[in-house]
Amino acid sequence: MKSTSIHSLNADKGLNLLEKPVYLFLNWVNNLFSYIGVDRRIKFKNFGDLPWRDSWGKTFPSSSPARKTSDLFWKSLPWDEIRNELGGEIHIFDTGCGHGNYSERIDDGGGHLLASYTGVDAKRRPNWEELERKHSNFKFIESNSNDISKLISSQTNLFVTQSAIEHFDDDLSFFKQAKEFTDKANHPVMQIHLFPARATLPLYLFHGLRQYTPRTISKITKLFGDNFQFELYGLGGRRCFWLHFKYFTWPVLITRRFVKPTFDVSEYEPKLRQAVEIDTQTNPRSPLFWALIIEYHP
């Protein structure tokens, strides 16, 4: 298998009127039985256990709930511990990096502990050169996710993706390449991947190829052997879902205003804070996003 999806319809490439309902139906089917056949090695963790409140003021006030909780997750990670666990230096390989925005967000969140950062995307972005000039340890490469093996530096010890793997035609092929590298590595390697859960299908509608559930995430983790460990965090929940629908899905997708939604941030931000607070009091079975951590120790 090359993909966790039962179909190959990619909304990024455009869908005609006949393909759109088929796309929605097939993704709905792909998201069924979310907790059946889950890899027993996956440890479900609660995002509320991380110190996310300390980083709230360091995020963008108009971010969507999924983007906000993702940014909070990156900034709440114990970066000093991660660096020590990885041998004293962090060398990131970021696939599907887009404009490279998360290169600086991760670097800032980690207290500028990155020894090197390599960003890869299928489309070259105009701001890459500026980031490379600003950060001598940053590098960006234009490449498809199916062909990254030869681009991975031998020093790489942290693979990351943010809102990327749902766009990969063959997401399992990407993880197989990461596994092949890791199996040959003589040092610890970690992976951190953030991607949409099934709850985003009615919120995003035509976005990438797929969403993910613990069942389909298990198709990824089962590629890896017993010397790997897996943690899975759910980001956001029911309160964040309805807030996203009101402020983003309804004005942009339903009422067909093809502009960035405009709203009173001073009204929105406290509601988002409250929604995240409530959702983190439990470990939601249907979050907006998943954060998967994969650890390897040779």
Side-chain angles (χ1 to χ4, degrees):
M1 294 179 62
K2 294 183 178 181
S3 171
T4 57
S5 299
I6 60 173
H7 67 89
S8 59
L9 290 174
N10 191 334
D12 300 336
K13 301 174 182 177
L15 302 172
N16 60 41
L17 290 177
L18 292 177
E19 290 173 329
K20 285 183 177 181
V22 175
Y23 171 90
L24 295 175
F25 174 75
L26 290 177
N27 272 295
W28 176 78
V29 172
N30 203 55
N31 294 335
L32 291 175
F33 312 113
S34 299
Y35 287 86
I36 299 297
V38 175
D39 189 341
R40 294 177 179 271
R41 298 174 299 167
I42 296 177
K43 297 178 181 179
F44 288 86
K45 309 286 284 188
N46 192 340
F47 174 52
D49 294 335
L50 296 176
W52 60 269
R53 296 173 185 84
D54 298 339
S55 301
W56 187 273
K58 302 174 184 178
T59 56
F60 297 105
S62 59
S63 296
S64 70
R67 184 67 66 183
K68 174 73 79 171
T69 51
S70 292
D71 288 351
L72 291 171
F73 181 84
W74 287 113
K75 292 180 181 296
S76 301
L77 289 173
W79 285 104
D80 283 322
E81 294 178 24
I82 291 173
R83 181 183 61 177
N84 293 335
E85 187 170 337
L86 294 178
E89 290 186 340
I90 299 176
H91 297 273
I92 284 185
F93 190 89
D94 181 2
T95 309
C97 66
H99 291 281
N101 295 330
Y102 273 88
S103 60
E104 292 189 313
R105 292 184 193 180
I106 295 173
D107 193 35
D108 290 341
H112 305 287
L113 297 177
L114 302 187
S116 69
Y117 171 93
T118 300
V120 177
D121 198 87
K123 181 181 178 181
R124 187 164 189 83
R125 310 298 173 130
N127 63 319
W128 284 0
E129 292 183 3
E130 179 183 349
L131 285 170
E132 289 175 335
R133 285 194 300 268
K134 185 178 178 181
H135 304 276
S136 60
N137 57 333
F138 284 18
K139 179 173 66 174
F140 293 91
I141 305 171
E142 183 179 356
S143 177
N144 188 281
S145 63
N146 288 337
D147 192 27
I148 61 169
S149 294
K150 63 181 182 296
L151 305 177
I152 305 172
S153 165
S154 60
Q155 291 181 305
T156 298
N157 54 17
L158 179 55
F159 290 89
V160 304
T161 64
Q162 167 66 53
S163 309
I165 65 171
E166 70 271 22
H167 298 283
F168 297 170
D169 288 320
D170 302 325
D171 55 344
L172 290 181
S173 295
F174 161 74
F175 283 100
K176 287 176 182 177
Q177 292 177 84
K179 176 185 182 297
E180 289 171 0
F181 169 85
T182 306
D183 285 342
K184 297 175 183 177
N186 59 2
H187 57 265
V189 180
M190 184 180 290
Q191 299 183 45
I192 305 175
H193 305 284
L194 275 65
F195 43 85
R198 67 173 183 175
T200 62
L201 178 59
L203 296 180
Y204 295 174
L205 296 180
F206 309 107
H207 176 83
L209 269 115
R210 64 184 77 81
Q211 306 78 44
Y212 290 84
T213 67
R215 179 180 61 80
T216 55
I217 293 169
S218 295
K219 294 182 180 181
I220 296 170
T221 60
K222 289 177 181 178
L223 295 173
F224 298 89
D226 291 334
N227 51 348
F228 290 81
Q229 299 174 4
F230 312 96
E231 293 184 350
L232 189 62
Y233 289 81
L235 308 182
R238 183 174 299 177
R239 290 297 186 103
C240 286
F241 174 93
W242 287 112
L243 201 68
H244 186 112
F245 183 84
K246 176 181 178 180
Y247 283 93
F248 294 88
T249 303
W250 179 261
V252 176
L253 297 178
I254 306 301
T255 62
R256 312 302 289 175
R257 282 191 283 147
F258 292 102
V259 294
K260 185 177 180 178
T262 56
F263 48 77
D264 185 348
V265 175
S266 63
E267 172 193 280
Y268 168 75
E269 180 82 348
K271 290 183 178 180
L272 178 56
R273 177 68 180 258
Q274 183 183 35
V276 175
E277 285 279 6
I278 293 173
D279 286 339
T280 53
Q281 291 175 8
T282 60
N283 199 2
R285 289 176 62 86
S286 186
L288 296 188
F289 254 58
W290 293 109
L292 174 64
I293 299 179
I294 302 174
E295 295 185 54
Y296 166 79
H297 299 275

XYZ file of all heavy atoms in Angstrom, residues 9-24 206:
137
model
N -8.450 10.794 -5.157
C -8.929 12.119 -5.515
C -8.244 13.169 -4.640
O -8.382 13.152 -3.417
C -10.447 12.213 -5.337
C -11.312 11.429 -6.333
C -12.777 11.516 -5.928
C -11.118 11.960 -7.744
N -7.522 14.071 -5.267
C -6.808 15.105 -4.531
C -7.462 16.460 -4.824
O -7.381 16.971 -5.944
C -5.332 15.118 -4.932
C -4.489 15.984 -4.013
O -4.989 16.917 -3.399
N -3.206 15.669 -3.922
N -8.096 17.039 -3.813
C -8.799 18.309 -4.002
C -7.848 19.443 -4.363
O -8.275 20.449 -4.936
C -9.577 18.669 -2.737
N -6.562 19.288 -4.042
C -5.590 20.322 -4.388
C -5.470 20.504 -5.898
O -5.085 21.579 -6.372
C -4.211 19.967 -3.824
C -4.221 19.849 -2.311
O -5.109 20.461 -1.682
O -3.363 19.140 -1.764
N -5.782 19.458 -6.639
C -5.652 19.499 -8.092
C -6.949 19.917 -8.776
O -7.010 19.983 -10.006
C -5.213 18.123 -8.607
C -3.877 17.658 -8.029
C -3.535 16.243 -8.446
C -2.230 15.780 -7.814
N -1.899 14.376 -8.146
N -7.981 20.196 -7.977
C -9.258 20.621 -8.537
C -10.195 19.455 -8.764
O -9.784 18.399 -9.252
N -11.448 19.633 -8.386
C -12.465 18.603 -8.554
C -13.633 19.180 -9.339
O -14.056 20.311 -9.094
C -12.973 18.114 -7.191
C -11.942 17.538 -6.214
C -12.582 17.298 -4.858
C -11.350 16.241 -6.762
N -14.161 18.398 -10.300
C -15.332 18.855 -11.041
C -16.591 18.576 -10.224
O -16.540 18.005 -9.127
C -15.390 18.211 -12.430
C -15.477 16.693 -12.372
O -16.191 16.132 -11.531
N -14.764 16.015 -13.268
N -17.743 18.955 -10.770
C -18.990 18.843 -10.020
C -19.346 17.400 -9.693
O -19.991 17.131 -8.667
C -20.127 19.488 -10.821
C -20.074 21.019 -10.939
C -21.214 21.515 -11.822
C -20.148 21.663 -9.558
N -18.944 16.462 -10.531
C -19.218 15.053 -10.255
C -18.260 14.490 -9.216
O -18.624 13.632 -8.409
C -19.120 14.244 -11.557
C -20.192 14.516 -12.612
C -19.917 13.683 -13.862
C -21.578 14.184 -12.060
N -17.028 14.958 -9.244
C -16.018 14.422 -8.332
C -16.201 14.907 -6.896
O -15.841 14.206 -5.943
C -14.622 14.804 -8.820
C -14.199 14.085 -10.101
C -12.890 14.609 -10.640
O -12.603 15.813 -10.439
O -12.146 13.815 -11.270
N -16.769 16.098 -6.723
C -16.881 16.661 -5.377
C -17.712 15.801 -4.422
O -17.263 15.491 -3.316
C -17.425 18.085 -5.450
C -16.398 19.097 -5.943
C -16.945 20.511 -5.933
C -15.855 21.498 -6.355
N -16.338 22.896 -6.345
N -18.937 15.386 -4.796
C -19.685 14.521 -3.866
C -19.019 13.165 -3.668
O -19.100 12.586 -2.580
C -21.056 14.392 -4.533
C -20.842 14.736 -5.964
C -19.748 15.740 -5.974
N -18.351 12.663 -4.706
C -17.631 11.388 -4.572
C -16.494 11.538 -3.572
O -16.262 10.671 -2.722
C -17.091 10.921 -5.944
C -16.237 9.675 -5.790
C -18.250 10.667 -6.906
N -15.773 12.649 -3.671
C -14.666 12.933 -2.751
C -15.164 12.951 -1.307
O -14.566 12.315 -0.413
C -14.043 14.273 -3.137
C -13.027 14.814 -2.160
C -11.680 14.501 -2.290
C -13.412 15.665 -1.116
C -10.741 15.004 -1.398
C -12.483 16.174 -0.227
C -11.149 15.846 -0.368
O -10.231 16.343 0.521
N -16.258 13.673 -1.058
C -16.784 13.775 0.303
C -17.239 12.412 0.814
O -16.977 12.048 1.967
C -17.942 14.772 0.351
C -17.591 16.233 0.047
C -18.855 17.088 0.020
C -16.606 16.787 1.073
N -13.218 20.578 0.736
C -12.326 20.101 -0.329
C -10.898 20.574 -0.055
O -10.493 21.664 -0.451
C -12.835 20.584 -1.688
C -14.292 20.280 -1.902
C -15.237 21.287 -1.858
C -14.718 18.973 -2.080
C -16.584 21.004 -2.028
C -16.061 18.680 -2.243
C -16.999 19.704 -2.219
